[in-house]
Amino acid sequence: MANIKSAKKRILVSQTKADRNKAIRSGVKTAIKKVNAAIAANDKAAAQAALLEATSTIDKATTKGVYHKNNASRKVSRLNKAVNAMA
């Protein structure tokens, strides 16, 4: 355990940031699962609606620094491709 006051603070701050990032990542995963579930159910309207929400969630995570922009772009691109491939 840290003895120095600044080290104790760094532990608290890093834990807070880790919790925040974990919550944001979890939200992104949930949004992606909703899109995939709509695709599996073959419901194009629901998939497109879920895609809009997922794209927004991923973009917000990117602006907060949780995901790198290329990683976020790749996730959005794959979701778009999957929704557009629906018949």
Side-chain angles (χ1 to χ4, degrees):
M1 185 64 198
N3 290 323
I4 299 169
K5 187 176 182 181
S6 62
K8 291 178 182 178
K9 181 179 178 182
R10 292 310 315 159
I11 291 169
L12 292 174
V13 170
S14 64
Q15 183 63 49
T16 303
K17 288 184 175 184
D19 292 343
R20 176 179 154 275
N21 290 345
K22 190 181 290 186
I24 293 170
R25 277 200 178 91
S26 174
V28 169
K29 287 179 186 176
T30 303
I32 291 172
K33 285 178 188 173
K34 286 180 183 175
V35 175
N36 290 331
I39 291 170
N42 211 17
D43 187 355
K44 185 142 183 145
Q48 288 175 334
L51 176 65
L52 280 174
E53 185 181 332
T55 303
S56 174
T57 306
I58 292 168
D59 288 342
K60 285 177 186 171
T62 306
T63 57
K64 291 178 180 178
V66 178
Y67 286 111
H68 189 274
K69 65 185 177 77
N70 292 353
N71 186 352
S73 179
R74 185 178 64 243
K75 287 179 187 296
V76 171
S77 178
R78 287 179 179 169
L79 288 175
N80 264 316
K81 187 176 177 183
V83 171
N84 289 338
M86 292 176 69

